[in-house]
Structures are given as C-alpha cells and as structure tokens.
Amino acid sequence: MCYRLMIGNDTIEMKTHSRKSFNLILRWWNALLDRFATPGMETKEGLSYWRSRVLQHLVAVTLLTGLSVLGPTVAILLRSGFWLLALLDTLIYLIAMALMMIPMGYRTRVFIALAGFYAVGTSITINLGVVSGGPFWLFAFAAIAGILIGFKSAVAAILLNAVTLTLLGGLQADGVLASGQPFYPSIGRAGVAGVNFLFLNALVAFSIAGLTQGLQSVIIRARRVRDELSKEVDARKQTERSLRTSEEKYRLLAENLSDILWSLDMDLNITYLSSSATTLLGWSAEELKAMGVSDVLTSGSVEKAMTLIDELLGDGEANGDFRKAATLVLEMRCKDGSTLPVETRGAFLLGEDHRPIGIVGISRDISRRIRAQKEKEALQSRLLQSKKMEAIGLLASGVAHDLNNVLSGIVSYPDLLLLDLPVESPLRKPLETIRQTGNKAADIVQDLLVMARRNVQSWSATSLNQVVEEHLCSPEHSDLLLRYPGIEVCTELDPQLANIKGSPIHLKKALMNLLINGAEAQPQGGAIMIRTLNATFAQPPKGIPQMPLGTYVGLEVSDSGVGITEEDQQRIFEPFFTRKVMGRSGSGLGMSVVWGTVEDHKGFISVQSEEMQGTTFKLYFPATDDQPSDLQRRVSPKRYLGNGETVLVVDDVAEQREIAASILERLGYRAVTAVSGEEALDYLKRNASPVDAVILDMIMPGLDGLDTYHAIRQLHPEMKALIASGFSETGRVKEAIQLGVGAYVRKPYMLEDIGLAMRKILSSSIDRDDQAGDVGI
C-alpha cells in the first residue's frame, strides 16, 4: 500500500508495510488455529466447521488477552480478600489452555467453554454483586451458546441466566451475597433492570442463533444446489464426452464411407460434404466449399431435385408431417467434365417446432449398376436376336433346300446346252441369260443359308488384307462403283496383320454387303474407308461387353452418310429389314449375311452411328498363328473329264437324278440312278458289275445320305463317295466326311463342281497344275 502526501508542488510518497505485516500475522494466526483444530472438522463447507472455528477464536483470544489481565486481576483480588475468585480466574485460564492444547470433541469443548463463561459470570456476581462484570459474562454465555450450539441452547442459556440473576439478586438484596455492594434502591427498579438485561440478552442471543440457523439452512441449500450443479456438470461432461465420441465415430464413418454424405440449408446452400465427394468427383475440398448445388448437380438434376423438394414441402404442409424421405437418381458434375450418376436419398432436418430447417442425405455412385444393367440388356438383346435369327434360319434353310432343287434345272441345263451349241447360235444368248438369272437366284439362296449360319463348308487360315484386296479387284466391286459413281473406297490395311481362320468366300460376301450399305447411305457420293488392324483387349470394346478378352483381327468399314437411328440399330441385322426400297438394292438379306458370317467365324460386331454423322461397322475375329495356303489355279474342263467310270446317283427327286446323270455323262462318266438309299443298297447287292463311286443326296426319306454310306461301307469298304445337299454343310455332312466321304457338293449342281469333286475322290493325286479349287469342299 502506498500513501501520497502533497506539500506545495512537491509530492512525498510514503510506503508502508502494514498490509503485508497484517497478512503475515493473519496467516500465522490461522496456522495456529489449524494446529489446534477440533478433530473431524477438516471440511470448510459446513456450519460445524465454522462453529468450531469460532470456538477456537474465542479460546485463542482468551489465552492471548488473558495474559495481560490475569496477573493484575489476581493480585487485586487477593489483596481484596477474594482469593476464591482469583483461584477461579486462574482455573478458567488453565481450562482455556486445555481447550486449545488437548485434542477433544467439539461438544466437549463447547460444554467446557460455556461452563467456564457461566462459572466466571456467576462467581463475579456472587462476589461483586449484580452491578458488576458478572452479568456481562452471563450475557456472553447466552450469546456464545446460540452461536456454538443453536437456538435451543440460546433459549436454555437465557432461562438459566434469568434464574441465576433472580436468585443471586434476591440473595444480594437480603444481604447474603455481596454485602456492602451497591444495588438498586428498590425491588421494582431491580426488576426493571433485570428484565431489560434479559430482554437484551435474549435479543442478541436469539438473533445470533437465528442468524446461525439461517446460515446453516443457506449452507444446506447451497450444498444441495452445489450437488445438483455438480451432478448437472458431470452429466454435461458425460454428454460432451458422448457427443465427442459420437462426432468422432460420425467423422470416421463419413470420411471412410464411399458414399457422399451431405447437408443443405433450406436455401439449398451446401453446409456439409463428406470427403468421399473429392474422391468421386475429382474436386478438391477447397473447391467444393466454394460450390453450390447448381455447381455440383447438372441442370436437369437440379430441376428434378427442386420439383421433389416442393412436392415434399407441400405434402408436409398438408399432413403436418415433414419426416417423409425420398429417393431419386441424379447426375453430379465431375471436374473432368463427365457426370456421375448417383442414387440420392434425403430427408428434411427438423427443428424444435418439427418444421424443416435443412436437408440431409446420402448419394451413392451407381455407375457400375447402370453399366451392368446396360450390359445385361445388351446380352438379353443379343440372346433375343440370336434366337430370332435361329428361328428364321431354320425356316430359311428349309426354303433354301427346296429352292436349290428347283433351281437345279435352271442353272445346270444351260451349262450342258451351251457346251453343244456353236458360238454363233441364236440360242446361246437366251441360255446364258437363263444361266445368269439362275445363278443370281442361287446366290440369294446362298445368302439365306449364310443368314441361317449353315453355309461355311471349309475353314483355313485367311488374311483379311488378301480378302479386301481380292474383293476390290472383283467384278462385284466394279459393278458397285458403276452403280454408285460418286463413291470412293479408301483402305488402311495393317501390313503386319495377323491371320484368322475362316472362309474367304463368305468374308468377301460380308465385306461386299458392308460396302453396299455404305454406298447406299451416301446417295450423293462420298468416301468409304476400309481398315484392318490387330487389336488386343484388356477390357471389352464399346458396344461388345460380352466379347472375351484376347487378341483379335479387326475389320472396320466406315462411311460419312446419313447414319442409322438408334431404333434401327436394334433391327439392322434382321432379315429383310431395310429403310430402302425393297428390290432396288438387293434381297434385303445383306446385313443378315454379315451377322451370320461373323457368328460363324466366332467373331463379334458393333455398330457406331449417328444420324447425318456416318456409320462405322467394327468386326473382330479371333487371331490365329496358322499361315494361309497358296491359292490354286483353275484349269480347263478337259482336265477333269471322266474316263467312263460308273457312278451311282442316289436322290429321291427325279429332276435331281436326271440333272446329275446328264452332267456325269457329259463329263465322260457312266451314270446309274436310285430313288432311295434302300434301292441303292439293293442295286449294289444285285449287280456284280463294279460301281466306281456314288453320289448321295443327304436329305432323303428313309435312309439319308449318312445312313446309306454306313450301309455301303459294310458291302464295299473302299467305295468312293461324295455327299450332295440343297442344304449347306450340316453336322451329318461333317460326320460323313470324317467317316470317309471324299467330298461335298452343293445344289444346284454346277458342271465344274461335280467334275472337280469326282476327280478328287477318284484320283489318288492330281498334279498341282491340274488341281482345281475345291469349290464347296
């Protein structure tokens, strides 16, 4: 503490250490009291502690102040003859020292202390009279009783004081006690003085006792409040710990969940986005914080979400219940410009009044599910297409068989007649026209068989580059360019192209149909690009999810024409489906032939097209390490004529038997015929003359060609045979060839086909210069 003394213009600061000294004394005093504290009163929160503390103060003050007055007082009392009083004062001081020094219980100390106050007061009154210091001690006795024990003790002390003073006052009035000491002149005055004394004593004692009791009630209530607050604080702390634990769990869940957790306010401002949004969308956390709903969702998705929110709010207002959740599919914007389809489920966040204060939800990436669904639909569509083509193929193959039988006369007889007609004959041109027309009809039948996937007779290592080059040099391609003069065909052929296993004839037919389709898509002219390439796929290419991974050889045919609508792409490979005028550009089987050829070669095809943006067909065939054989040259018919060998023709159709017999005889063979397998076996059994070879129709009532061949081998194990059919090569045809049939010829019969096949089965070897291409073998 610092004091300032102002003298004129000068300031004198006077420092004092009185406060420090006082604090030091106070600490010493409290330490002394603690040293002699009552056992069991360590807590400072209750009234008992402070009553014990007051008792300690009283005793301590008594000891400290008693030293200064005990000696003179005892000396005066002894000189005055009050030796008993002097002894009592000394005894009281010793009792005070005992109260301070000897450990004892609180009530024992209070009883001794109060007894000492009462004894001193009574002794002084007895020796010095009521008009002395004795009543003051009695006054203090009642007040201290109210402080240290309570209201009832104060009442008891007042009553004891009243009795004591009345008794002692009467004794003094009678001259028994304190004789010679001044007393009130009359009993009335003495009574009034006594009543006033007792009134003041009761007032002070009761006030102090009431205050003490009130303090005790306040302390009890404060303790209860403290306990309740402590419980509430503990509960809040537990709640906070639970909240922190829950928040930690929620944070860990939100940060490790692959789905996007989000929340919005009612103005659709983003208030929370889980970290998975960064992973799925590619935006950084800082970028997402600055973005709104319209930045995260596509415009269509925002509109869809707003419509749903308005509907839910309307329903909630009508029903009074906003707890309804909803699910919808939205598209979220990615940083790379792509969109992510998500299944979003959200609900309103409700306030205390049960009205919406925000929106919370979760969004799940469903791109894989959508992709899987599309793949499933594509597979189902492909399966449906396969079943549809198979059903149509069964019908087409039956029709083709019958048509081939009918066409045999139109195709075969002109060949025979032309051999005998001179060049200048006027009949030659009509016969050639008939033959060409028949060949065109036969080609349509072959298209039916290809579409039905029943026309690939031989498989060999083939180069797609060679297929493309041979077709571009063919009369069919020249005719295409004449019909579409504005079309330019370009090629990009991979010089390191791998080979595939297949039929060059059917691959050329497929390529021709693709080129026709590209030319017709560009009526005003344009370019068609043919590409070949090697392709190794680690994942299926676009549009062909079912394609196994591996190495393929690709053939692409692209145009820049009018394109194909998405609806038409689903039907483009159906037989006779076309948006063009039927009969103008072909039979309507062109794309079906392409599809059938690709299926037969265990390949895959995809179509990529947009209206007015052109079309690209991509064909993929499994690659092979086999190498193609050298092409064989055709020879003059004179090199495959017969030498009078006998050939048995077995066919249930009379026209077919006659045509085959006529061709054989024209080629120099001797022909005999049978209408069934049973008749052929009977002929072989009955005739001893040898038969050099048999021609067996595959489809016959009773024994078919394969069954007949089995029976013939039992009679003549070395019999040469070939199979003929209006169908293309079937499983039973392949079984017959594996069993030993030397060749297969396709109806309608062609003179060259039969001639080459017969020379093949009758000759053990043919010089390479004389060997003809195995047409249909």
Side-chain angles (χ1 to χ4, degrees), residues 497-509:
L497 193 69
N499 297 319
I500 66 171
K501 278 193 172 183
S503 168
I505 295 175
H506 296 87
L507 291 169
K508 290 176 188 176
K509 193 67 176 288

Side-chain angles (χ1 to χ4, degrees), residues 62 73 86 121 354 378 443 574 602 608 657 668 713 776:
T62 300
T73 300
H354 303 291
D443 287 342
E574 293 181 8
K602 297 179 175 57
Q608 298 175 10
R657 294 195 304 272
R713 288 193 63 185

Side-chain angles (χ1 to χ4, degrees), residues 128-151:
L128 300 180
V130 294
V131 186
S132 64
F136 292 104
W137 282 84
L138 295 177
F139 186 96
F141 159 69
I144 292 172
I147 294 174
L148 297 181
I149 300 178
F151 190 82

Side-chain angles (χ1 to χ4, degrees), residues 206-510:
F206 292 166
S207 297
I208 292 175
L211 176 62
T212 304
Q213 188 173 13
L215 288 175
Q216 184 174 12
S217 299
V218 170
I219 290 173
I220 292 173
R221 287 196 298 270
R223 183 179 298 170
R224 290 175 180 173
V225 171
R226 183 204 63 188
D227 292 341
E228 291 176 358
L229 287 176
S230 178
K231 290 179 181 179
E232 184 176 351
V233 169
D234 292 341
R236 288 187 178 184
K237 288 181 179 180
Q238 180 61 35
T239 302
E240 290 177 357
R241 286 193 295 269
S242 299
L243 284 174
R244 284 195 296 270
T245 303
S246 178
E247 290 174 357
E248 181 66 16
K249 290 180 180 178
Y250 177 81
R251 184 184 63 80
L252 290 174
L253 177 63
E255 290 181 356
N256 292 280
L257 193 65
S258 58
D259 299 339
I260 299 176
L261 300 178
W262 51 266
S263 64
L264 310 172
D265 59 23
M266 292 308 293
D267 295 325
L268 300 188
N269 297 313
I270 298 175
T271 56
Y272 175 74
L273 271 178
S274 64
S275 59
S276 54
T278 301
T279 304
L280 292 176
L281 303 179
W283 303 100
S284 66
E286 291 73 17
E287 290 171 327
L288 288 171
K289 289 179 181 178
M291 297 172 69
V293 171
S294 58
D295 300 316
V296 176
L297 296 179
T298 62
S299 57
S301 295
V302 172
E303 183 177 353
K304 186 190 297 186
M306 290 290 294
T307 301
L308 181 60
I309 291 173
D310 291 340
E311 291 178 359
L312 293 176
L313 285 174
D315 293 342
E317 294 289 351
N319 303 327
D321 185 3
F322 295 91
R323 293 175 296 177
K324 183 178 179 180
T327 303
L328 71 165
V329 176
L330 303 173
E331 286 187 337
M332 304 187 82
R333 301 179 186 272
C334 298
K335 189 173 183 178
D336 60 6
S338 62
T339 58
L340 180 73
V342 292
E343 182 180 71
T344 299
R345 183 167 182 82
F348 290 119
L349 181 65
L350 304 181
E352 294 181 356
D353 58 353
H354 303 291
R355 295 187 61 81
I357 59 174
I359 307 173
V360 294
I362 183 170
S363 296
R364 172 167 296 176
D365 176 11
I366 58 171
S367 55
R368 291 185 179 178
R369 186 199 306 175
I370 292 176
R371 184 164 56 250
Q373 181 63 28
K374 289 182 178 179
E375 291 175 357
K376 179 181 178 181
E377 292 174 355
L379 288 174
Q380 290 176 339
S381 176
R382 187 176 180 86
L383 178 61
L384 180 62
Q385 177 75 4
S386 297
K387 290 183 177 180
K388 184 189 301 183
M389 296 299 289
E390 182 178 357
I392 296 175
L394 290 173
L395 174 64
S397 61
V399 172
H401 175 264
D402 294 338
L403 285 177
N404 276 330
N405 287 333
V406 173
L407 289 173
S408 292
I410 301 174
V411 174
S412 303
Y413 277 122
D415 274 344
L416 296 175
L417 294 173
L418 287 171
L419 289 174
D420 296 329
L421 284 177
V423 177
E424 66 277 4
S425 173
L427 297 177
R428 192 171 190 86
K429 184 174 182 181
L431 287 172
E432 289 179 346
T433 301
I434 292 172
R435 184 178 64 175
Q436 291 174 0
T437 303
N439 286 334
K440 289 181 179 179
D443 287 342
I444 294 176
V445 173
Q446 293 308 308
D447 286 346
L448 283 173
L449 292 173
V450 171
M451 181 268 298
R453 299 180 59 196
R454 298 183 176 215
N455 200 34
V456 177
Q457 291 91 30
S458 62
W459 294 85
S460 61
T462 303
S463 170
L464 280 182
N465 283 350
Q466 190 170 347
V467 169
V468 173
E469 291 169 352
E470 288 183 359
H471 175 73
L472 295 181
C473 296
S474 68
E476 291 82 2
H477 183 66
S478 299
D479 181 63
L480 173 68
L481 296 179
L482 288 175
R483 284 189 290 127
Y484 301 95
I487 294 298
E488 179 185 4
V489 178
C490 306
T491 60
E492 290 183 4
L493 306 182
D494 187 345
Q496 304 298 323
L497 193 69
N499 297 319
I500 66 171
K501 278 193 172 183
S503 168
I505 295 175
H506 296 87
L507 291 169
K508 290 176 188 176
K509 193 67 176 288

Side-chain angles (χ1 to χ4, degrees), residues 610-625:
E610 294 183 15
E611 292 189 64
M612 309 310 297
Q613 298 295 322
T615 303
T616 298
F617 289 90
K618 296 183 178 183
L619 285 62
Y620 297 100
F621 303 95
T624 181
D625 293 330

Side-chain angles (χ1 to χ4, degrees), residues 684-685 687 691 711-720:
L684 292 175
K685 292 176 182 178
N687 290 277
V691 172
I712 290 174
R713 288 193 63 185
Q714 294 179 1
L715 296 174
H716 302 286
E718 301 300 326
M719 179 64 71
K720 306 294 185 181

Side-chain angles (χ1 to χ4, degrees), residues 371 536-542 544-545 547-550 552:
R371 184 164 56 250
T536 300
F537 294 104
Q539 60 183 12
K542 181 180 179 182
I544 320 178
M547 190 172 86
L549 307 182
Y552 292 83

